Amino acid sequence: MNTTLNFSKKIQSILSLFVFMGIGLWSLKGQNTTTGEKELENAAVRSAFQNTKKIKAGLLEVGYAEIGPENGKPVILLHGWPYDIHSFEQSSAILAEKGYRVLVPYLRGYGTTTFVSTNTKRNGQQSAVALDIIAFMDALKIDKAIIGGFDWGARTADIMAALWPERCSGLVAVSGYLIGSPKANEKPLSPNVEFLWWYQYYFSTERGYKGYQANTVAFNKLIWKNASPKWAFDDQTYERSAQSFDNPDHVDIVIHNYRWRLGLVKGEKQYDVFEAKLAKSPAITVPTITLEGDANGAAFPAPENYAFKYTGKYVHHTITGGIGHNLPQEAPKAFADAIIEVDSMSQTK
């Protein structure tokens, strides 16, 4: 019998048994990891991201990946547009090995996350997305967690740390302080920055809505290439994430988000109190690490322009080596190290 095939079947059988019995692999690990155990561990991570869990949380049924010991310190990682939970697959594995309980939810409009009611407005404004994650924590009975993210995920993490610091033990935000408001966005930027925002102006038109709807996968692949010009991702890597765009609410959420930012559409009144606070650009007091890649092709603020907004313990790292906008996937160890570092910062006086 083929030994490799036999071993693979054994791995699949053992993994299925673990999933069925609800036993976390990380609670069974010893001090030494053999090649077979490592392969089994990697299979468990892939399974967690391919076969997401689901929980009712506020307005949503949230789809999410979870790896690591159930009694580990919670870490919630938030993706951006046009990406998905797979941005954190490798960094999550690193953190799980260190004993963290890692939860990676699909944002509204992505993957297996769906709305509970067909009547709920498909709203992409910033405070609505942040409240989704607070509801997600409530549903899982998580009082406090380390929050990390990039792009929309970093903005959401910033908002959570600013408005609900008691829920955040630490913050890792790629590209730093991204909280904004439609009023603040009325101010024109320099031509080279405005050029990088071409797609939000496209999305403000009916042609842009129809174009994104008709060409979502091709459009988002273009964004990946432009935002991470030195990242040589393969088709398989992209297609794994592109499946998450096949969500019935994806296009409406994305279009509303960018139109709301420009003040072209209204938000909902129940979020007005939060948006009023965010419009004042509140300081963030929780321990924070901001990250930036040295080859980010998207528009982003310079670290020196936002460092003062983090008034607690604060560190910034620029990650070198041609790292673009999707930093957690392009530099997973650096991102995981930042989570571990901010955890240490939160424990020291």
Side-chain angles (χ1 to χ4, degrees), residues 262-273:
L262 292 176
L264 300 176
V265 295
K266 293 182 178 180
E268 294 179 87
K269 287 195 174 296
Q270 65 262 38
Y271 303 116
D272 286 354
V273 62

Side-chain angles (χ1 to χ4, degrees), residues 1-317:
M1 180 180 286
N2 186 306
T3 304
T4 303
L5 179 60
N6 189 38
F7 180 66
S8 296
K9 287 182 177 178
K10 285 182 178 179
I11 285 177
Q12 291 174 9
S13 298
I14 295 170
L15 180 58
S16 297
L17 181 61
F18 281 143
V19 172
F20 176 75
M21 295 177 67
I23 297 174
L25 285 172
W26 291 268
S27 65
L28 304 178
K29 286 182 63 180
Q31 293 299 314
N32 300 313
T33 303
T34 67
T35 301
E37 287 171 339
K38 189 65 178 177
E39 187 171 343
L40 182 61
E41 198 174 292
N42 291 339
V45 173
R46 289 194 297 271
S47 178
F49 278 79
Q50 291 169 3
N51 304 295
T52 52
K53 298 181 177 181
K54 205 159 189 182
I55 191 169
K56 185 178 183 303
L59 300 175
L60 303 174
E61 292 274 358
V62 178
Y64 67 102
E66 177 176 0
I67 64 171
E70 290 184 4
N71 62 350
K73 180 173 289 186
V75 175
I76 297 175
L77 303 178
L78 306 172
H79 67 84
W81 172 84
Y83 306 93
D84 82 330
I85 64 174
H86 290 92
S87 292
F88 299 106
E89 188 169 334
Q90 293 182 58
S91 54
S92 294
I94 295 170
L95 292 169
E97 285 186 356
K98 297 293 185 180
Y100 292 94
R101 179 190 182 192
V102 187
L103 303 120
V104 192
Y106 281 111
L107 299 187
R108 55 170 60 190
Y110 293 81
T112 55
T113 290
T114 56
F115 284 87
V116 173
S117 172
T118 57
N119 296 324
T120 302
K121 181 179 175 63
R122 275 34 180 178
N123 180 351
Q125 73 182 103
Q126 60 184 358
S127 60
V129 178
L131 280 163
D132 289 343
I133 308 306
I134 293 296
F136 176 65
M137 292 177 69
D138 290 343
L140 290 170
K141 296 180 170 55
I142 295 173
D143 293 328
K144 202 166 192 175
I146 299 170
I147 312 294
F150 74 105
D151 195 84
W152 288 23
R155 178 177 297 107
T156 302
D158 281 332
I159 292 169
M160 293 172 67
L163 298 186
W164 301 281
E166 71 280 1
R167 306 300 297 270
C168 305
S169 56
L171 168 67
V172 174
V174 178
S175 296
Y177 193 90
L178 299 178
I179 298 172
S181 69
K183 183 66 177 177
N185 287 336
E186 290 177 1
K187 182 180 179 181
L189 302 172
S190 62
N192 61 313
V193 176
E194 296 283 15
F195 173 76
L196 295 175
W197 282 114
W198 66 271
Y199 54 85
Q200 72 174 351
Y201 303 119
Y202 180 63
F203 287 164
S204 70
T205 68
E206 186 61 19
R207 180 185 179 87
Y209 178 90
K210 291 179 179 178
Y212 188 60
Q213 188 175 49
N215 304 292
T216 308
V217 172
F219 192 101
N220 289 346
K221 192 171 188 177
L222 175 64
I223 297 295
W224 275 41
K225 290 178 178 179
N226 290 345
S228 298
K230 296 187 178 182
W231 182 31
F233 61 88
D234 57 25
D235 288 341
Q236 184 179 12
T237 297
Y238 178 71
E239 288 162 7
R240 188 167 60 245
S241 289
Q243 293 177 32
S244 72
F245 312 143
D246 188 23
N247 177 298
D249 304 307
H250 178 77
V251 173
D252 286 342
I253 293 294
V254 171
I255 297 299
H256 185 270
N257 175 282
Y258 286 103
R259 291 183 179 182
W260 177 84
R261 288 195 210 182
L262 292 176
L264 300 176
V265 295
K266 293 182 178 180
E268 294 179 87
K269 287 195 174 296
Q270 65 262 38
Y271 303 116
D272 286 354
V273 62
F274 304 110
E275 296 298 347
K277 293 177 181 178
L278 296 173
K280 296 178 181 178
S281 299
I284 291 174
T285 60
V286 306
T288 298
I289 293 176
T290 57
L291 301 173
E292 191 55 76
D294 64 341
N296 189 351
F300 64 92
E304 58 269 24
N305 292 343
Y306 59 67
F308 71 97
K309 300 304 299 183
Y310 299 100
T311 58
K313 296 176 183 177
Y314 174 70
V315 176
H316 174 80
H317 300 301

